[in-house]
Amino acid sequence: MTQGMVCAPQPEAVEAGVDVLRQGGNAIDAAMACAFVQGVVDPLMCGIAGFGSLQIYMPGPGPGKAVHRFIDFHGTCPGKSTPDMWEKLIVGETRDGFGFILKGQINDAGYQSITVPLSLKAYAEAVEQYGTRSLAQIMEPAIAYARDGYMVRPAVYGFWMQPDRYGRVTTLGRLEQTPASRKLYLKDDGMPKDIGDVVVNPDLARTLERIGSEGPDVFFKGDIARAIAADMAKYGGLISYDDLANAKTTSVEPLWGSYRGYRVATNQPPGGGIMLIEMLNILENFDLKALGHNTPEYIRVLAEAMKRATADKDAHVGDPKFVDVPVARLTDKAYAAQSAAAIKRGDKVSVERMAGTAESAHTTHISVVDEDGNCVSMTHSLGSSSGVVTDGLGFQYNNCMGVFDPRPGRTGSIAAGKSRVSSMCPTIVFKDDKPFLVIGAPGGTQIAMGVLQGILNAIDFGMDMQEAVAAPRISATSNAIDVTNRITRRTQTALEGMGYQVMRSPRSFDFAWVHGIRIQGGTMDGGADPATDGMAMAV
């Protein structure tokens, strides 16, 4: 019988998490060990200077003893931020609504693109409150990879070599941002290190060792915080020592929904869970299995549900500390039934965008279940990565200022202390009050769309977890429908005949990297999105 499972896009991180389970640690210990390793071996995807959303479910020893919480650690605008500081620099908006293009790209890369980092604080709080091991023990595998080196994997190299994103800074441009970054990741000819090359990061090893021995306060209030603040001040960054010293995560209850008798626990705004529940509510009004998986009519219905949720997110969803988000209305079954009726009539919703570009999303995910039924679903990220590495510290910072709306008076506008809106939706689906799916994904605004299809594939079409995450996907976060290259051209022609613009990805696997674990009959099966180098490993 499977006693536990870890699923993530990085094999090194999965193995570290499984080792923790084998040594008697619980799911929280394993997930955080996995997260720290991810920040070393996939350094532009995530790390201690990032942001994210973490769901923890622990069934407890008896009725009423369960723990079910979210630690929300979305990046916040530094104290120097003002709503109008970039208003006159706007060039455009990404086509899917995941960020804005400014003159000089100052919101996308470099020191001004960085929001207050919260990932380390979330990892440490999870270990302290719900784990069974010390933070120092949890960090040992990550320290070893930083000190001894890790190989550049194909997915990492492909990511580093991504071409120009039509106005956004290329990944190579991010690697070139600072001397410390260039030294770590580029060869003498200025190109990224090749597949199989070993990256050694002694500065990061020392930083992690200090955090392990002195605690996370050294990063937020101690010598590391002072080094960060000095670097920011020297190069025009927005973050101050006070921003770090006052940084806080948010602990909240899950946002609940239901779908065909299953209960769905996902994250509150400013996360993407509200979109996921709205889309599931709409789609519950259709016999999706009868429509047929990825038929033209199935894709039309799915796309219109996605577009409606996207339009509602754009108009109404922001940081609840700054925006009155109509959660009850957007997750209401009656509201969804009205949307479903419009879709059945053939109505189309328009999702307006400024002239802009495609997105670039750098994020990762972890799903973990242990033998006691404890579950963790965590999505964490650097956004698209600022490219900034402070000399002597070894880690990359996030670039989440690029997602805030530079136009004042919008739900996503810039404001000091405001959290960025995200499509992240680490989710646990319950069947008969027991976890059935532990699922999530990286992928910018495509995250909720990928997670949605993983859930539909498992529930409506009876797929196992690997089939559910590998089946061809679509996305509709604008007026176009994006399809992977395995959606047939016959289907594309039919959709175009309905009046849709269809954008074909050159990739066979695209639109979020979905990773999950399915639990039924006391057994687990995992699925790692084939677009990555990842895996699911059982204990």
Side-chain angles (χ1 to χ4, degrees):
M1 178 179 172
T2 302
Q3 294 180 315
M5 183 171 284
V6 181
C7 184
Q10 303 83 5
E12 304 91 342
V14 171
E15 187 175 356
V18 167
D19 285 344
V20 169
L21 292 179
R22 287 194 178 115
Q23 294 160 9
N26 67 10
I28 293 82
D29 299 320
M32 295 310 108
C34 186
F36 277 112
V37 172
Q38 287 176 318
V40 177
V41 304
D42 225 340
L44 271 73
M45 287 285 180
C46 62
I48 57 176
F51 67 97
S53 184
L54 164 62
Q55 181 171 187
I56 295 172
Y57 171 74
M58 306 176 76
K65 301 295 185 180
V67 170
H68 200 171
R69 300 294 293 174
F70 266 90
I71 299 177
D72 182 90
F73 53 110
H74 283 82
T76 59
C77 292
K80 295 179 182 178
S81 306
T82 61
D84 61 352
M85 66 183 188
W86 291 334
E87 185 179 9
K88 296 181 180 179
L89 301 178
I90 300 171
V91 174
E93 182 182 9
T94 56
R95 179 167 62 84
D96 61 359
F98 191 70
F100 290 80
I101 311 301
L102 301 185
K103 294 176 183 177
Q105 302 167 311
I106 59 173
N107 65 330
D108 185 32
Y111 283 85
Q112 290 197 31
S113 70
I114 305 168
T115 58
V116 179
L118 286 171
S119 290
L120 173 60
K121 188 170 284 287
Y123 304 163
E125 288 175 355
V127 171
E128 180 181 0
Q129 296 173 26
Y130 306 110
T132 66
R133 298 292 190 267
S134 70
L135 184 63
Q137 289 173 310
I138 294 300
M139 296 171 69
E140 286 174 358
I143 292 168
Y145 276 114
R147 181 188 62 238
D148 302 333
Y150 62 92
M151 288 192 300
V152 176
R153 292 176 288 105
V156 172
Y157 179 77
F159 176 63
W160 289 356
M161 292 297 291
Q162 282 185 350
D164 177 33
R165 301 294 289 181
Y166 311 105
R168 295 184 70 93
V169 176
T170 64
T171 307
L172 178 57
R174 300 178 196 282
L175 295 172
E176 295 172 334
Q177 282 291 316
T178 57
S181 179
R182 292 195 294 270
K183 181 179 178 181
L184 280 169
Y185 305 117
L186 301 184
K187 299 181 296 184
D188 291 342
D189 63 1
M191 296 302 292
K193 292 184 176 180
D194 292 318
I195 295 171
D197 284 351
V198 174
V199 177
V200 178
N201 193 340
D203 288 344
L204 180 56
R206 285 189 289 270
T207 295
L208 295 177
E209 285 171 342
R210 290 197 64 185
I211 293 167
S213 62
E214 300 178 41
D217 272 357
V218 71
F219 183 95
F220 293 98
K221 297 179 181 180
D223 289 345
I224 295 175
R226 283 185 279 272
I228 292 170
D231 193 37
M232 296 293 157
K234 182 177 180 179
Y235 293 102
L238 300 173
I239 292 175
S240 68
Y241 176 85
D242 286 345
D243 288 323
L244 295 167
N246 295 320
K248 290 182 175 62
T249 66
T250 303
S251 178
V252 294
E253 298 284 340
L255 180 63
W256 286 95
S258 64
Y259 182 72
R260 305 199 196 282
Y262 294 80
R263 298 177 69 228
V264 180
T266 189
N267 58 354
Q268 300 273 359
I274 191 168
M275 295 177 66
L276 179 65
I277 291 175
E278 181 177 353
M279 291 186 291
L280 287 170
N281 285 345
I282 293 171
L283 295 170
E284 196 173 35
N285 292 276
F286 296 85
D287 186 345
L288 299 181
K289 188 173 183 179
L291 293 180
H293 191 260
N294 282 344
T295 61
E297 181 61 10
Y298 176 86
I299 291 176
R300 181 192 75 84
V301 169
L302 197 59
E304 287 299 330
M306 291 176 176
K307 288 165 61 183
R308 287 175 179 272
T310 297
D312 280 339
K313 180 263 294 181
D314 290 348
H316 304 296
V317 180
D319 183 346
K321 298 189 299 293
F322 291 80
V323 178
D324 185 12
V325 183
V327 174
R329 179 169 69 86
L330 296 182
T331 59
D332 181 59
K333 295 282 188 181
Y335 178 71
Q338 295 172 3
S339 296
I343 294 171
K344 289 176 181 178
R345 292 194 302 267
D347 294 356
K348 293 179 180 177
V349 165
S350 179
V351 181
E352 299 301 326
R353 298 279 178 232
M354 298 174 65
T357 69
E359 77 164 309
S360 179
H362 306 185
T363 306
T364 198
H365 182 80
I366 305 165
S367 293
V368 183
V369 180
D370 67 23
E371 63 179 337
D372 295 322
N374 300 314
C375 302
V376 174
S377 181
M378 180 170 78
T379 309
H380 58 140
S381 179
L382 293 180
S384 301
S385 179
S386 65
V388 173
V389 178
T390 296
D391 189 40
L393 297 184
F395 56 83
Q396 290 265 351
Y397 297 89
N398 70 78
N399 76 329
C400 295
M401 289 301 294
V403 179
F404 285 96
D405 195 328
R407 299 168 294 182
R410 309 291 180 114
T411 57
S413 296
I414 299 167
K418 189 175 187 179
S419 294
R420 48 108 61 191
V421 175
S422 168
S423 187
M424 289 180 177
C425 54
T427 297
I428 301 175
V429 178
F430 290 79
K431 181 179 182 181
D432 301 326
D433 293 325
K434 294 182 179 180
F436 170 64
L437 298 177
V438 181
I439 191 169
T445 50
Q446 316 292 354
I447 290 175
M449 311 313 168
V451 173
L452 171 70
Q453 288 167 89
I455 292 172
L456 299 178
N457 290 343
I459 293 177
D460 288 275
F461 296 96
M463 297 182 189
D464 65 31
M465 199 72 256
Q466 188 59 56
E467 293 172 327
V469 304
R473 288 196 288 271
I474 67 111
S475 181
T477 56
S478 68
N479 286 333
I481 300 176
D482 291 276
V483 301
T484 59
N485 202 30
R486 292 184 298 146
I487 299 292
T488 66
R489 282 148 183 83
R490 181 184 181 91
T491 298
Q492 177 176 344
T493 299
L495 289 167
E496 290 169 341
M498 299 175 189
Y500 288 102
Q501 178 188 16
V502 179
M503 308 289 287
R504 178 169 293 275
S505 169
R507 299 182 177 92
S508 292
F509 302 93
D510 207 347
F511 314 129
W513 294 348
V514 186
H515 287 70
I517 299 169
R518 185 180 66 158
I519 312 160
Q520 54 179 9
T523 63
M524 304 176 201
D525 63 276
D529 196 303
T532 75
D533 299 323
M535 63 180 181
M537 181 180 285
V539 179

